[in-house]
Amino acid sequence: MQKKMIAVGDNVVDCYLDDLVYYPGGNAVNVAVNCKRNGIEEVAYMGVFGSDSKAEHLKWALAREGVHFERSRTVIAPTGSPGVRLVDGDRVFVGGPRNTAQHIVRIRLTDEDLSYIGSFALCHTSCFSSIEPELPKMQKVCQVSFDFSERMDDAYLQQVCPYLTYAFFSGSDLTEEEVKELMRRCHALGTPVVGVTRGSRGAVFSENGTYYVQGIKPVEVIDTMGAGDSFIAGFLTRRIAGDAMAPALDYAASVAANSCRIHGSFGYPHPLDD
């Protein structure tokens, strides 16, 4: 299998209100950068950038990490800038502006875009990317990975799951039976691999009904921002490389733990008032 992946979707800067700095972020950006750091040979990102200095910092960080973004769009609008506060090392979002590039424009894939996406082994995207109408086309050209975050309603699962190879959920409040029922629903809709991360309780995954439980790797936590995205990236990296489920999950837990040792999703702070 080609050791190449692309992430399509959201980019933001996470604004740490207490420290007066912002960091590059967004689910798609975070997964792309971490896949590159984990050893994927070629990684690309496609999304909609704003037209401000925050967007330029995002592009600078992606270039520094060796992630291609040439097929992205730029619109005259501010970059998404969610506010963040840390509570005992745990990141808490506290809102942000709504008139941003992420909210006013969604990406529409051209035939040329789809041909480009098809040159990669896998495409990752998420519920934050307004990409749902494009999934049927994406699924025809490569495997698709999707982060649902906490969206689990039946209508949304029916809209998205038929086009996925990998589905990821955040479900720290779910019971064991609720986790298994969610997985059964996704499998029935056509998604072969479903994972639920549960914070300090680790993660549960199912591949076509075979269950895997992965514990956390203890670490001194500085900042949990992007830990879930790091987990996804670690898992996808090893799956693209050909690993079975168990070693891929063990690796994912290790890189997620390491990501909690730094501020921001993957570093690169910038003064908030600049």
Side-chain angles (χ1 to χ4, degrees), residues 44-55:
Y45 165 74
M46 185 188 300
V48 179
F49 287 110
S51 55
D52 54 13
S53 60
K54 293 182 173 67

Side-chain angles (χ1 to χ4, degrees), residues 14-255:
D14 297 309
C15 300
Y16 283 55
L17 303 179
D18 295 323
D19 297 332
L20 298 180
V21 296
Y22 63 77
Y23 294 86
N27 175 269
V29 164
N30 294 342
V31 171
V33 167
N34 280 286
C35 280
K36 181 66 174 176
R37 288 184 174 184
N38 292 333
I40 296 293
E41 295 169 2
E42 183 176 345
V43 177
Y45 165 74
M46 185 188 300
V48 179
F49 287 110
S51 55
D52 54 13
S53 60
K54 293 182 173 67
E56 293 307 310
H57 186 62
L58 275 159
K59 294 175 187 177
W60 174 83
L62 287 169
R64 189 176 178 88
E65 291 289 330
V67 175
H68 305 296
F69 54 88
E70 291 82 1
R71 295 199 68 88
S72 295
R73 284 68 156 156
T74 298
V75 299
I76 301 175
T79 297
S81 305
V84 177
R85 295 193 187 279
L86 287 181
V87 180
D88 297 326
D90 193 19
R91 63 105 176 96
V92 178
F93 288 108
V94 293
R98 304 292 292 182
N99 63 332
T100 67
Q102 294 300 310
H103 291 105
I104 65 175
V105 174
R106 77 168 180 85
I107 197 164
R108 289 170 170 79
L109 299 175
T110 66
D111 289 342
E112 291 78 11
D113 292 330
L114 290 166
S115 178
Y116 179 66
I117 290 170
S119 70
F120 294 86
L122 178 142
C123 176
H124 175 78
T125 188
S126 77
C127 64
F128 305 111
S129 301
S130 301
I131 198 73
E132 293 83 1
E134 308 297 326
L135 292 174
K137 293 179 283 187
M138 294 164 65
Q139 184 256 354
K140 291 179 180 178
V141 299
C142 71
Q143 293 186 344
V144 179
S145 161
F146 195 94
D147 186 356
F148 286 82
S149 185
E150 298 178 349
R151 290 203 63 175
M152 304 171 193
D153 58 279
D154 282 332
Y156 195 64
L157 295 181
Q158 291 171 20
Q159 181 184 11
V160 175
C161 283
Y163 308 108
L164 308 182
T165 300
Y166 300 101
F168 302 94
F169 295 87
S170 298
S172 58
D173 296 330
L174 298 182
T175 66
E176 297 290 336
E177 184 51 42
E178 288 171 335
V179 167
K180 290 185 177 181
E181 176 57 26
L182 174 61
M183 291 174 167
R184 287 192 287 266
R185 287 153 60 198
C186 294
H187 289 325
L189 290 167
T191 304
V193 179
V194 184
V196 180
T197 56
R198 304 180 299 165
S200 61
R201 294 192 292 158
V204 179
F205 274 61
S206 172
E207 184 173 31
N208 294 317
T210 300
Y211 292 97
Y212 301 83
V213 177
Q214 177 61 52
I216 64 169
K217 306 280 186 171
V219 68
E220 183 178 354
V221 174
I222 294 175
D223 182 359
T224 61
M225 177 68 77
D229 300 339
S230 296
F231 187 100
I232 291 171
F235 177 78
L236 294 176
T237 296
R238 297 317 308 163
R239 290 293 282 181
I240 290 172
D243 280 11
M245 289 289 293
L249 287 169
D250 185 71
Y251 180 80
S254 294
V255 296

